[in-house]
Amino acid sequence: MANASGFISPSFPTLRRSNLSPFSLSRSGFCSFKRISNKVFRCSAVEGVEKHASIPSPSESRIPRRVTQGCKLVGCGSAVPSLMISNDDLSNIVETNDEWISVRTGIRNRRVLSGKDSLTGLAEEAARRALQMAQVEPDDVDLILMCTSTPEDLFGSAPQIQRALGCKRNPLAYDITAACSGFVLGLLSAACHIRGGGFKNVLVIGADTLSRYVDWTDRGTCILFGDAAGAVLVQACDGSDDGLFGFDFHSDGDGQKHLNATMREENETEGVLGTNGSAVDFPPKRSAYSCIQMNGKEVFRFAVRCVPQTIESALEKAGLTSSNIDWLLLHQVINNILVDENYIGNAKMPSTQTSRKTIYAVFCSQSKN
């Protein structure tokens, strides 16, 4: 099980600030920057149910508070498929209706791949928009991090995005698989590469096409998932302008039983190397990932139990208090969850927007880690 949180301040140049307006959250789960504060971004992730509360975080010493090489967000972009599936559309497939879905999830529509749409195509589009905002050419990118749980190639999708962008210097490109926490982990990885590896421009992409793994006859999951891509460019800067204050990450594989898409055998294959029993299980059986299986009640209980803990831990490591928070951005769109006294109240977080200069984002999921 996993949840991730972060303080975000992209430090966009002033001359481009007039083109930005407040954050908006798409129903597929990605944020688009419209107006962004200019102080700090912070990443934090927790994977687990309750164990992490008593386990010292390795993050306490990994990233020093004072650094000579900093990093900041300078551009962002997003992309979604053209096909929109409404709650009314789903009511023609499963026993449900718009009111039932919207009251419980806050979702009315979701974007889904169709025609020639692809994961790499969405990721490329989002990446190009991030580069355009940052006024950085593809050839100036040093590293591409593709955060996805649904790659279109077993060996990873990041190199295909590198090729699609036309990066002539063949920068390093690789995938990160960490479910909904993947993008926050990508931000942390970008910061580490910049600080410790001398990278200057790191493209972080969060993209998933979960519709390919949805059982569209399962009302408990088909109403929740869609497809989209988002990207940011993380750029090296002077240490005094550094945007990452700290992070908090934990993993607990016990949560896998509540949310998973495990491997399954496709067909039977008889042994072909003899009858003496030495190769009775060869060749291996072909396999593929199953549809998403989720215990929604346990996912909810995990979120309201653990997210406040990671918020408090992240705040403490950043040397901040809840009064410093401008926006609380949760990986959930339904208001009655956001204002639940166990969710925000226990973390002593403001339920309304303030005029302060820190953005706090929380992403929570359950994973197989």
Side-chain angles (χ1 to χ4, degrees):
M1 300 174 72
N3 54 354
S5 51
F7 294 116
I8 303 175
S9 171
S11 301
F12 289 98
T14 303
L15 65 90
R16 292 195 294 275
R17 198 178 301 275
S18 60
N19 294 327
L20 304 175
S21 50
F23 264 107
S24 64
L25 178 65
S26 74
R27 288 297 176 264
S28 48
F30 286 89
C31 294
S32 61
F33 291 92
K34 292 184 178 178
R35 178 177 59 110
I36 305 179
S37 307
N38 59 357
K39 278 291 182 185
V40 57
F41 74 88
R42 167 178 172 80
C43 301
S44 169
V46 175
E47 302 191 6
V49 183
E50 294 173 339
K51 295 181 181 179
H52 74 269
S54 60
I55 301 175
S57 171
S59 64
E60 293 178 358
S61 60
R62 270 188 194 163
I63 294 185
R65 189 58 57 89
R66 295 181 180 275
V67 293
T68 57
Q69 179 69 75
C71 57
K72 59 183 179 181
L73 302 185
V74 295
C76 66
S78 62
V80 295
S82 58
L83 178 61
M84 180 183 295
I85 302 298
S86 69
N87 293 342
D88 290 332
D89 293 329
L90 291 182
S91 68
N92 295 321
I93 303 174
V94 295
E95 185 178 350
T96 190
N97 56 66
D98 177 71
E99 181 181 6
W100 191 93
I101 298 173
S102 60
V103 167
R104 287 163 176 77
T105 69
I107 300 171
R108 294 189 180 277
N109 299 283
R110 72 278 302 144
R111 298 298 182 108
V112 175
L113 291 182
S114 65
K116 296 183 179 180
D117 289 338
S118 67
L119 175 75
T120 53
L122 293 176
E124 178 196 353
E125 182 179 352
R128 287 192 183 279
R129 290 175 176 173
L131 291 174
Q132 182 179 13
M133 178 181 286
Q135 298 179 6
V136 171
E137 296 296 324
D139 284 341
D140 293 326
V141 174
D142 304 303
L143 172 65
I144 298 174
L145 303 176
M146 176 62 167
C147 309
T148 183
S149 294
T150 55
E152 292 177 328
D153 190 308
L154 180 64
F155 298 119
S157 293
Q160 303 306 312
I161 299 168
Q162 175 220 75
R163 181 183 65 176
L165 291 174
C167 302
K168 297 178 182 178
R169 296 190 299 114
N170 294 329
L172 175 64
Y174 64 89
D175 286 17
I176 294 176
T177 302
C180 298
S181 299
F183 184 75
V184 175
L185 182 59
L187 287 177
L188 172 63
S189 300
C192 292
H193 278 291
I194 289 173
R195 289 173 173 172
F199 292 84
K200 300 299 182 184
N201 292 298
V202 179
L203 192 58
V204 182
I205 305 168
D208 268 304
T209 51
L210 289 169
S211 65
R212 291 169 167 169
Y213 301 95
V214 168
D215 178 357
W216 293 99
T217 64
D218 177 12
R219 186 178 68 169
T221 57
C222 74
I223 64 175
L224 297 173
F225 299 99
D227 308 324
V232 297
L233 187 73
V234 184
Q235 191 172 76
C237 66
D238 185 76
S240 61
D241 295 324
D242 184 57
L244 177 62
F245 278 16
F247 62 93
D248 183 53
F249 285 84
H250 302 270
S251 294
D252 184 347
D254 286 343
Q256 187 263 355
K257 60 181 175 289
H258 298 308
L259 179 57
N260 62 77
T262 57
M263 294 288 287
R264 64 181 181 185
E265 296 175 354
E266 281 193 333
N267 51 51
E268 297 291 331
T269 305
E270 296 182 358
V272 296
L273 295 186
T275 58
N276 61 359
S278 61
V280 65
D281 292 324
F282 184 86
K285 298 174 182 178
R286 293 177 60 89
S287 59
Y289 288 108
S290 66
C291 291
I292 296 170
Q293 306 294 318
M294 184 181 72
N295 183 334
K297 291 183 178 179
E298 287 302 320
V299 173
F300 175 82
R301 289 170 183 166
F302 161 74
V304 298
R305 187 165 55 234
C306 296
V307 169
Q309 296 173 6
T310 190
I311 289 176
E312 292 176 356
S313 177
L315 282 169
E316 181 179 357
K317 293 175 183 178
L320 299 171
T321 67
S322 60
S323 62
N324 299 122
I325 303 307
D326 193 355
W327 287 302
L328 181 63
L329 304 176
L330 296 169
H331 188 61
Q332 172 58 256
V333 296
I334 184 168
N335 288 334
N336 68 351
I337 293 179
L338 296 184
V339 300
D340 186 286
E341 62 179 0
N342 293 320
Y343 207 94
I344 291 179
N346 285 356
K348 302 178 178 64
M349 300 296 294
S351 59
T352 59
Q353 179 177 324
T354 71
S355 60
R356 298 175 183 87
K357 296 181 178 180
T358 302
I359 300 171
Y360 193 92
V362 177
F363 303 82
C364 69
S365 68
Q366 299 184 0
S367 69
K368 300 179 288 181
N369 294 0

